[in-house]
PDB file of all heavy atoms in Angstrom:
ATOM      1  N   LEU A1625     -61.091  -8.718 -22.011  1.00  0.00           N
ATOM      2  CA  LEU A1625     -61.272  -9.660 -23.115  1.00  0.00           C
ATOM      3  C   LEU A1625     -60.254  -9.480 -24.241  1.00  0.00           C
ATOM      4  O   LEU A1625     -59.919 -10.442 -24.932  1.00  0.00           O
ATOM      5  CB  LEU A1625     -62.693  -9.541 -23.677  1.00  0.00           C
ATOM      6  CG  LEU A1625     -63.802 -10.145 -22.811  1.00  0.00           C
ATOM      7  CD1 LEU A1625     -65.163  -9.845 -23.413  1.00  0.00           C
ATOM      8  CD2 LEU A1625     -63.603 -11.656 -22.668  1.00  0.00           C
ATOM      9  N   PHE A1626     -59.765  -8.260 -24.451  1.00  0.00           N
ATOM     10  CA  PHE A1626     -58.808  -8.033 -25.544  1.00  0.00           C
ATOM     11  C   PHE A1626     -57.620  -8.984 -25.462  1.00  0.00           C
ATOM     12  O   PHE A1626     -57.322  -9.704 -26.437  1.00  0.00           O
ATOM     13  CB  PHE A1626     -58.332  -6.575 -25.543  1.00  0.00           C
ATOM     14  CG  PHE A1626     -59.278  -5.634 -26.228  1.00  0.00           C
ATOM     15  CD1 PHE A1626     -59.477  -4.359 -25.737  1.00  0.00           C
ATOM     16  CD2 PHE A1626     -59.974  -6.016 -27.370  1.00  0.00           C
ATOM     17  CE1 PHE A1626     -60.363  -3.480 -26.363  1.00  0.00           C
ATOM     18  CE2 PHE A1626     -60.853  -5.152 -28.009  1.00  0.00           C
ATOM     19  CZ  PHE A1626     -61.048  -3.878 -27.504  1.00  0.00           C
ATOM     20  N   PRO A1627     -56.881  -9.037 -24.347  1.00  0.00           N
ATOM     21  CA  PRO A1627     -55.754  -9.981 -24.286  1.00  0.00           C
ATOM     22  C   PRO A1627     -56.193 -11.440 -24.313  1.00  0.00           C
ATOM     23  O   PRO A1627     -55.488 -12.289 -24.881  1.00  0.00           O
ATOM     24  CB  PRO A1627     -55.057  -9.626 -22.966  1.00  0.00           C
ATOM     25  CG  PRO A1627     -56.081  -8.900 -22.162  1.00  0.00           C
ATOM     26  CD  PRO A1627     -56.958  -8.194 -23.138  1.00  0.00           C
ATOM     27  N   VAL A1628     -57.343 -11.738 -23.700  1.00  0.00           N
ATOM     28  CA  VAL A1628     -57.835 -13.121 -23.688  1.00  0.00           C
ATOM     29  C   VAL A1628     -58.062 -13.629 -25.111  1.00  0.00           C
ATOM     30  O   VAL A1628     -57.669 -14.750 -25.468  1.00  0.00           O
ATOM     31  CB  VAL A1628     -59.142 -13.226 -22.871  1.00  0.00           C
ATOM     32  CG1 VAL A1628     -59.781 -14.602 -23.059  1.00  0.00           C
ATOM     33  CG2 VAL A1628     -58.868 -12.985 -21.397  1.00  0.00           C
ATOM     34  N   LEU A1629     -58.684 -12.799 -25.951  1.00  0.00           N
ATOM     35  CA  LEU A1629     -58.974 -13.195 -27.328  1.00  0.00           C
ATOM     36  C   LEU A1629     -57.711 -13.353 -28.167  1.00  0.00           C
ATOM     37  O   LEU A1629     -57.723 -14.041 -29.192  1.00  0.00           O
ATOM     38  CB  LEU A1629     -59.904 -12.153 -27.977  1.00  0.00           C
ATOM     39  CG  LEU A1629     -61.319 -12.076 -27.381  1.00  0.00           C
ATOM     40  CD1 LEU A1629     -62.109 -10.949 -28.023  1.00  0.00           C
ATOM     41  CD2 LEU A1629     -62.051 -13.411 -27.546  1.00  0.00           C
ATOM     42  N   LEU A1630     -56.627 -12.732 -27.733  1.00  0.00           N
ATOM     43  CA  LEU A1630     -55.350 -12.889 -28.431  1.00  0.00           C
ATOM     44  C   LEU A1630     -54.544 -14.070 -27.902  1.00  0.00           C
ATOM     45  O   LEU A1630     -53.721 -14.644 -28.622  1.00  0.00           O
ATOM     46  CB  LEU A1630     -54.521 -11.603 -28.287  1.00  0.00           C
ATOM     47  CG  LEU A1630     -55.077 -10.364 -28.996  1.00  0.00           C
ATOM     48  CD1 LEU A1630     -54.264  -9.127 -28.614  1.00  0.00           C
ATOM     49  CD2 LEU A1630     -55.071 -10.555 -30.508  1.00  0.00           C
ATOM     50  N   ILE A1631     -54.784 -14.449 -26.647  1.00  0.00           N
ATOM     51  CA  ILE A1631     -54.037 -15.546 -26.018  1.00  0.00           C
ATOM     52  C   ILE A1631     -54.661 -16.912 -26.335  1.00  0.00           C
ATOM     53  O   ILE A1631     -53.951 -17.885 -26.568  1.00  0.00           O
ATOM     54  CB  ILE A1631     -53.955 -15.332 -24.491  1.00  0.00           C
ATOM     55  CG1 ILE A1631     -53.057 -14.119 -24.184  1.00  0.00           C
ATOM     56  CG2 ILE A1631     -53.427 -16.564 -23.786  1.00  0.00           C
ATOM     57  CD1 ILE A1631     -53.083 -13.686 -22.740  1.00  0.00           C
ATOM     58  N   LEU A1632     -55.987 -16.982 -26.368  1.00  0.00           N
ATOM     59  CA  LEU A1632     -56.669 -18.261 -26.595  1.00  0.00           C
ATOM     60  C   LEU A1632     -56.254 -18.954 -27.898  1.00  0.00           C
ATOM     61  O   LEU A1632     -56.027 -20.167 -27.909  1.00  0.00           O
ATOM     62  CB  LEU A1632     -58.185 -18.059 -26.566  1.00  0.00           C
ATOM     63  CG  LEU A1632     -58.846 -18.055 -25.183  1.00  0.00           C
ATOM     64  CD1 LEU A1632     -60.329 -17.723 -25.303  1.00  0.00           C
ATOM     65  CD2 LEU A1632     -58.655 -19.403 -24.487  1.00  0.00           C
ATOM     66  N   PRO A1633     -56.142 -18.231 -29.032  1.00  0.00           N
ATOM     67  CA  PRO A1633     -55.797 -18.920 -30.287  1.00  0.00           C
ATOM     68  C   PRO A1633     -54.363 -19.413 -30.353  1.00  0.00           C
ATOM     69  O   PRO A1633     -54.003 -20.110 -31.307  1.00  0.00           O
ATOM     70  CB  PRO A1633     -56.039 -17.832 -31.356  1.00  0.00           C
ATOM     71  CG  PRO A1633     -56.878 -16.788 -30.712  1.00  0.00           C
ATOM     72  CD  PRO A1633     -56.464 -16.813 -29.273  1.00  0.00           C
ATOM     73  N   GLN A1634     -53.512 -19.116 -29.384  1.00  0.00           N
ATOM     74  CA  GLN A1634     -52.087 -19.465 -29.501  1.00  0.00           C
ATOM     75  C   GLN A1634     -51.814 -20.972 -29.567  1.00  0.00           C
ATOM     76  O   GLN A1634     -50.822 -21.320 -30.213  1.00  0.00           O
ATOM     77  CB  GLN A1634     -51.309 -18.797 -28.354  1.00  0.00           C
ATOM     78  CG  GLN A1634     -51.298 -17.277 -28.459  1.00  0.00           C
ATOM     79  CD  GLN A1634     -50.567 -16.613 -27.299  1.00  0.00           C
ATOM     80  OE1 GLN A1634     -49.993 -17.264 -26.428  1.00  0.00           O
ATOM     81  NE2 GLN A1634     -50.593 -15.283 -27.273  1.00  0.00           N
ATOM     82  N   PRO A1635     -52.483 -21.932 -28.987  1.00  0.00           N
ATOM     83  CA  PRO A1635     -53.495 -21.781 -27.945  1.00  0.00           C
ATOM     84  C   PRO A1635     -52.847 -21.863 -26.565  1.00  0.00           C
ATOM     85  O   PRO A1635     -51.947 -22.674 -26.347  1.00  0.00           O
ATOM     86  CB  PRO A1635     -54.391 -22.990 -28.184  1.00  0.00           C
ATOM     87  CG  PRO A1635     -53.470 -24.033 -28.744  1.00  0.00           C
ATOM     88  CD  PRO A1635     -52.367 -23.315 -29.478  1.00  0.00           C
ATOM     89  N   ASP A1636     -53.350 -21.018 -25.645  1.00  0.00           N
ATOM     90  CA  ASP A1636     -52.821 -21.012 -24.284  1.00  0.00           C
ATOM     91  C   ASP A1636     -53.981 -20.791 -23.308  1.00  0.00           C
ATOM     92  O   ASP A1636     -54.114 -19.711 -22.720  1.00  0.00           O
ATOM     93  CB  ASP A1636     -51.778 -19.915 -24.134  1.00  0.00           C
ATOM     94  CG  ASP A1636     -51.042 -19.983 -22.803  1.00  0.00           C
ATOM     95  OD1 ASP A1636     -51.312 -20.920 -22.027  1.00  0.00           O
ATOM     96  OD2 ASP A1636     -50.216 -19.085 -22.534  1.00  0.00           O
ATOM     97  N   PRO A1637     -54.848 -21.805 -23.138  1.00  0.00           N
ATOM     98  CA  PRO A1637     -56.026 -21.639 -22.269  1.00  0.00           C
ATOM     99  C   PRO A1637     -55.664 -21.388 -20.817  1.00  0.00           C
ATOM    100  O   PRO A1637     -56.413 -20.741 -20.095  1.00  0.00           O
ATOM    101  CB  PRO A1637     -56.787 -22.964 -22.434  1.00  0.00           C
ATOM    102  CG  PRO A1637     -55.741 -23.952 -22.875  1.00  0.00           C
ATOM    103  CD  PRO A1637     -54.783 -23.161 -23.717  1.00  0.00           C
ATOM    104  N   GLY A1638     -54.498 -21.881 -20.371  1.00  0.00           N
ATOM    105  CA  GLY A1638     -54.085 -21.669 -18.986  1.00  0.00           C
ATOM    106  C   GLY A1638     -53.890 -20.202 -18.678  1.00  0.00           C
ATOM    107  O   GLY A1638     -54.391 -19.689 -17.674  1.00  0.00           O
ATOM    108  N   SER A1639     -53.144 -19.493 -19.553  1.00  0.00           N
ATOM    109  CA  SER A1639     -52.920 -18.058 -19.354  1.00  0.00           C
ATOM    110  C   SER A1639     -54.227 -17.285 -19.473  1.00  0.00           C
ATOM    111  O   SER A1639     -54.463 -16.332 -18.728  1.00  0.00           O
ATOM    112  CB  SER A1639     -51.904 -17.532 -20.375  1.00  0.00           C
ATOM    113  OG  SER A1639     -50.628 -18.080 -20.142  1.00  0.00           O
TER     114      SER A1639
END
Side-chain angles (χ1 to χ4, degrees):
L1625 286 175
F1626 278 143
V1628 170
L1629 293 176
L1630 293 172
I1631 291 171
L1632 276 175
Q1634 294 178 4
D1636 188 3
S1639 293

